[in-house]
């Protein structure tokens, strides 16, 4: 009897498996809880509560055109040799760039340099602006 039920209703089991997978997928890809990416809202909380340092890995011209207030400019190509990174490697670092793609690469580089708590701001500066968070231009 149970085998007949399964065979007659296989599509319901398939829908249940697919919907469960779709519910878990964002947790795996967007890295909530301890992952690589962080939302702009979570980034602001980390800055305010844990004194996270915002690192902008944009090129100097991109940084000058507009960046999150308080962000330090350390271009991706200069990460490994930069003296502008915090000395305390356990301090939370938030990495941002215009779209978020370079920031993801920078997270890997910073982790190799020994930084323990590094995350990319999902969506980059575009998401930062969309959330109406403060942006400034270099003088």
């Amino acid at each position: 009897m149970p085998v007949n039920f399964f065979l007659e209703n296989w599509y319901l089991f398939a829908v249940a498996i697919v919907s469960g997978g779709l519910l878990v997928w964002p947790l795996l890809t967007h890295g909530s809880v301890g992952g690589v990416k962080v939302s702009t809202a979570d980034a602001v909380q980390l800055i305010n509560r844990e004194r996270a340092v915002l690192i902008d890995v944009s090129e100097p011209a991109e940084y000058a055109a507009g960046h999150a207030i308080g962000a330090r400019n350390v271009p991706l190509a200069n990460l490994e040799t930069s003296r502008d990174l915090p000395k305390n490697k356990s301090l939370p670092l938030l990495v941002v760039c215009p779209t978020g793609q370079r920031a993801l690469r920078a997270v890997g580089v910073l982790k190799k340099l020994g930084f323990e708590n590094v995350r990319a701001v999902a969506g980059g500066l575009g998401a930062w602006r969309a959330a109406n968070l403060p942006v400034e231009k270099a003088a």
Side-chain angles (χ1 to χ4, degrees):
M1 186 70 119
V3 174
N4 285 341
F5 178 79
F6 179 77
L7 292 175
E8 291 173 5
N9 298 296
W10 65 268
Y11 56 91
L12 294 175
F13 289 99
V15 168
I17 291 169
V18 169
S19 65
L22 291 173
L23 289 172
V24 173
W25 184 253
L27 294 174
L28 298 174
T29 60
H30 294 300
S32 45
V33 189
V36 175
K37 291 183 187 177
V38 65
S39 71
T40 54
D42 289 339
V44 170
Q45 282 187 350
L46 285 168
I47 291 167
N48 291 336
R49 293 182 182 165
E50 297 182 33
R51 299 179 358 165
V53 177
L54 195 56
I55 305 292
D56 191 321
V57 293
S58 303
E59 292 302 314
E62 293 172 316
Y63 180 81
H67 58 273
I69 288 183
R72 298 180 189 181
N73 185 220
V74 183
L76 180 60
N78 301 347
L79 269 180
E80 294 186 45
T81 58
S82 177
R83 297 187 188 274
D84 293 328
L85 296 172
K87 303 290 182 241
N88 181 353
K89 294 193 176 189
S90 65
L91 199 62
L93 292 184
L94 298 171
V95 187
V96 68
C97 70
T99 63
Q101 294 306 310
R102 269 181 278 178
L104 286 172
R105 284 187 277 158
V107 166
V109 172
L110 289 165
K111 285 189 176 189
K112 285 181 188 173
L113 292 173
F115 289 92
E116 301 166 11
N117 188 0
V118 186
R119 296 185 205 150
V121 176
L125 189 61
W128 191 269
R129 283 187 168 131
N132 292 320
L133 294 170
V135 176
E136 65 183 351
K137 292 184 180 183

